[in-house]
Amino acid sequence: MNNPLSILSLAALLGGVPMMLGSGVGSEIRQPLGYAIVGGLALSQVLTLYTTPVVYIYLDRLQTWLFGEKKQAASGDVVQAPAE
């Protein structure tokens, strides 16, 4: 989790835990908000973890289909194949 967005989401998620687990005066009003915050952020992190690579793969395949195959250069950089 080196991504700053993941760290920010984790901080927000952990910030909602006391609201979710809290008891005392008025806790019956704040608890559903805590559940929504923690559940929503956890679900969004899991969905992002699985959907981002899939979208990248499909966009890469679309690029290859539209512009042709890519060739590997000697330096390891990806170079576009010349159109024939």
Side-chain angles (χ1 to χ4, degrees):
M1 284 197 337
N2 294 333
N3 187 352
L5 185 59
S6 297
I7 294 170
L8 180 65
S9 295
L10 183 62
L13 188 142
L14 292 176
V17 170
M19 191 185 312
M20 183 179 76
L21 299 177
S23 62
V25 179
S27 66
E28 64 274 0
I29 299 296
R30 290 187 301 269
Q31 247 179 356
L33 179 61
Y35 282 119
I37 291 170
V38 172
L41 287 170
L43 181 65
S44 71
Q45 283 294 316
V46 169
L47 287 177
T48 302
L49 179 68
Y50 288 112
T51 57
T52 302
V54 171
V55 170
Y56 176 80
I57 289 170
Y58 282 133
L59 288 176
D60 187 50
R61 288 180 183 172
L62 177 66
Q63 178 186 3
T64 303
W65 180 71
L66 288 175
F67 301 112
E69 290 294 320
K70 299 177 210 170
K71 285 200 239 178
Q72 278 305 86
S75 64
D77 295 343
V78 175
V79 177
Q80 199 69 25
E84 295 179 19

